[in-house]
Every structure is written in C-alpha cells, then in structure tokens.
Amino acid sequence: MPSFLNQKNMKAIDKIIIAGIVGTSFMTLYSYLRSKKEDEEYVEPVMINKLIDNSENLPSISNEDAHPAGWGLHYATGIGFMAVYWLIWKKALARPTRNKILLLGILSGLVGIAVWKMLFSQHDRPPHNYRYGYYRQLLIAHIVFTLFSVTTYKLLDKEN
C-alpha cells in the first residue's frame, strides 16, 4: 500500500477527501451512463459549466464538458457531502449497513434535487434537459455516491 494511504497515520480529513473523491467519481460515472442511455445531458460537472456559461455575470466557458470549474465544484460538493456524513453520522460510518446507506443516499439525493431545482429556477437561462429524468437519475446517483464514499471511508478507517 502506498505510504500516503497508511491507514494508521491517516487523519479523518484525508479519509473524508479520499472517500468524497471516490464517491463522486462513481456517481459521475453513473451519470455518464444514464446520460448516454437516455440521450440527455445529466452529467453534473457539465451542467454546472452550462450554468456558468449561461450566466451574464460569469466568464464564458469554451469547453463545457472538460472545463475545470464544473469539475472542481462537483468534486468539492462530493467532499462536502462526505464531511457532513462524517459530522452527523460518525457511528453509522463505523457500521454501515445496506439500509443506512440507502437511507443516507436517498436523503442526499433529495437535498441534491432541491439544490438543482433551485439553481434551475433562479437562473435566467438554465441548461435544457429532461428534468424528471435528471432528477430520477440524480436520486440514484446519490445512492451510488453514498455506497462508494461510505465504503471507501470504512476501508480507510479499518485499522483505527
């Protein structure tokens, strides 16, 4: 195992960051798959970049798929979700079960849907996609996020 992943010496913040990145990566992969299958734009970093690009007060983005702004904000949000899990749910992280992961994923998905609905409703020119499909996939994507982030955290915390 690489020395930077030495579980004994790893601090909680390191575990939170790594778990948030892993969970966000698998969530995004799921969003890519749903987006491709439904031929709609559901990929969160791309949607963030479209919101930025369509804003009058923000600089335009030439490559909405790969611009780092959307990706950075998406990964920062994933790390933030994982930090909230850690703050609120320390005992549950120690003993995650399928039901706890499902419940936390659904709650996170509902928060995510509420945030995206607010962003779309407050934006003058929100990006277009099939909203019901987007929110449905967003709920499932948050369950995927929770499964992978909590499992990663648990694996990193195994020796502590």
Side-chain angles (χ1 to χ4, degrees), residues 81-142:
F81 265 89
M82 189 61 213
V84 170
Y85 292 178
W86 183 81
L87 288 170
I88 293 174
W89 227 36
K90 289 179 195 174
K91 289 183 182 180
L93 285 176
R95 289 186 215 85
T97 64
R98 278 185 283 183
N99 287 342
K100 289 176 184 176
I101 288 170
L102 183 62
L103 177 64
L104 189 56
I106 290 170
L107 291 173
S108 298
L110 294 174
V111 168
I113 290 167
V115 168
W116 277 102
K117 280 187 170 191
M118 182 194 67
L119 288 171
F120 291 146
S121 70
Q122 296 300 311
H123 200 282
D124 290 335
R125 297 180 317 156
H128 298 286
N129 67 3
Y130 174 52
R131 294 289 195 254
Y132 176 78
Y134 182 61
Y135 297 139
R136 181 186 62 227
Q137 82 79 33
L138 199 57
L139 182 67
I140 297 168
H142 278 85

Side-chain angles (χ1 to χ4, degrees), residues 35 39-44 46-47 50 65 128-129 134:
S35 187
D39 196 27
E40 288 284 339
E41 186 55 75
Y42 293 158
V43 181
E44 296 83 3
V46 175
M47 296 294 285
K50 287 182 181 208
D65 289 343
H128 298 286
N129 67 3
Y134 182 61

